[in-house]
Amino acid sequence: MLLEGSEIQQVLRHGKQLGVIGDCGTIGVHLGMTGQFLYRGPGERLAKGDHVHVTWTLVGPRGKSGGRLVFRDPRRFGGIWAYRDQNALRCRWEALGPDALTIGAGELGERLRPSRATRQVVRNVKAALLDQSTVAGVGNIYADEALFRSGIRPTRPVDELSDTEIDRLSWAVREVLTEAVESGGSTLRDYVDADGSAGSFQLRHRVYGRGGQMCITCGEPLQSGTVAQRMTVWCPCCQH
DNA sequence: GGCAGCCTGGTT
DNA sequence: AACCAGGCTGCC
């Protein structure tokens, strides 16, 4: 029951999770890699092509056609879940860390660093940033970009980050994500917003996708490799 | 904590 | 034809 017959009351976001609250149901959405919502007004044709998994027919004022909302997802890494109500959704979201757009340095430091009681194994800062229960909303691209801006190597064990570094990192995380949102996101291949517009933040990536090219700060070649099981790019000279 | 597996389209 | 990227879940 994906909101059938519901009037949409609220749309929520926490990290990369979306929530749509209707008066007779709630859904949670994750776009995954290639998931996208597309809106088509009344009479507008749907982008033909496959991989459309859900179509909502919207009803406008006085019963007029309100167009359609489509969820398509070629690689099917995304998903939509139905919940009884918004409390059930919020319950699922409790596993997530604070939202990355607004997390403060103190909070980030607390969650990043291992507390000697719980975590015996110290992980690297990139793995910690990608962990949605540490901080919600940082993906592979933005982890690399934030680490570059804060001058921290992705491989640094979290327990040796100084307060100053945590401070720079939390600033960089918020800054990178804010700029990316303002640029409409990073369109590497598929991503478009609901109106079909591509983002442009990929033009401002300083390290992601630039392995082997020169660092915009020092001119040395950027290094790439696998960190935390993900493609990672950093500057061996600027990031310590 | 690591890592396979899910899936597809683009690249080699 | 084989390989790869990527977020997240679930298994070791």
Side-chain angles (χ1 to χ4, degrees):
Chain A
M1 221 300 250
L2 302 178
L3 299 177
E4 284 159 279
S6 264
E7 183 169 321
I8 294 173
Q9 298 174 323
Q10 208 179 165
V11 178
L12 310 171
R13 180 199 62 82
H14 188 85
K16 305 184 222 179
Q17 307 284 334
L18 299 172
V20 183
I21 298 167
D23 49 11
C24 41
T26 288
I27 62 169
V29 181
H30 196 295
L31 298 178
M33 288 295 305
T34 54
Q36 51 190 215
F37 276 122
L38 297 172
Y39 174 73
R40 292 296 116 107
E44 262 190 284
R45 269 211 184 162
L46 286 175
K48 63 165 157 218
D50 21 342
H51 308 305
V52 170
H53 299 110
V54 185
T55 301
W56 289 270
T57 302
L58 307 176
V59 181
R62 279 166 289 145
K64 285 191 175 171
S65 167
R68 279 168 296 177
L69 186 66
V70 159
F71 176 74
R72 71 180 291 267
D73 184 17
R75 292 191 192 178
R76 298 199 219 168
F77 270 43
I80 300 183
W81 296 264
Y83 295 96
R84 194 175 311 286
D85 52 39
Q86 64 170 296
N87 286 334
L89 176 70
R90 290 178 194 279
C91 190
R92 286 301 303 266
W93 285 6
E94 274 175 21
L96 300 171
D99 189 85
L101 267 175
T102 50
I103 194 170
E107 221 172 359
L108 185 65
E110 269 174 32
R111 301 191 141 261
L112 227 42
R113 289 172 176 142
S115 75
R116 331 94 190 146
T118 52
R119 289 230 174 70
Q120 305 87 339
V121 185
V122 177
R123 53 186 176 174
N124 61 55
V125 63
K126 172 142 180 181
L129 278 178
L130 291 177
D131 181 348
Q132 302 299 298
S133 67
T134 303
V135 46
V138 182
N140 195 39
I141 295 174
Y142 303 113
D144 280 11
E145 293 298 317
L147 287 166
F148 175 76
R149 291 191 185 198
S150 48
I152 301 168
R153 281 194 199 205
T155 50
R156 281 284 294 289
V158 285
D159 66 340
E160 56 170 59
L161 295 176
S162 69
D163 287 348
T164 314
E165 287 175 318
I166 293 284
D167 205 56
R168 291 206 308 264
L169 182 56
S170 81
W171 179 263
V173 164
R174 294 189 305 270
E175 184 185 64
V176 159
L177 290 175
T178 303
E179 287 180 25
V181 169
E182 284 169 0
S183 304
S186 301
T187 297
L188 297 178
R189 177 168 298 148
D190 309 289
Y191 174 74
V192 289
D193 67 15
D195 298 319
S197 318
S200 63
F201 194 68
Q202 69 282 2
L203 304 174
R204 292 160 69 185
H205 290 173
R206 301 182 187 174
V207 285
Y208 184 84
R210 299 191 64 243
Q213 300 178 35
M214 70 178 202
C215 171
I216 61 164
T217 304
C218 73
E220 292 297 309
L222 295 174
Q223 190 165 331
S224 65
T226 300
V227 178
Q229 293 81 240
R230 286 288 171 265
M231 165 59 68
T232 304
V233 185
W234 70 96
C235 176
C237 176
C238 299
Q239 292 172 258
H240 305 284

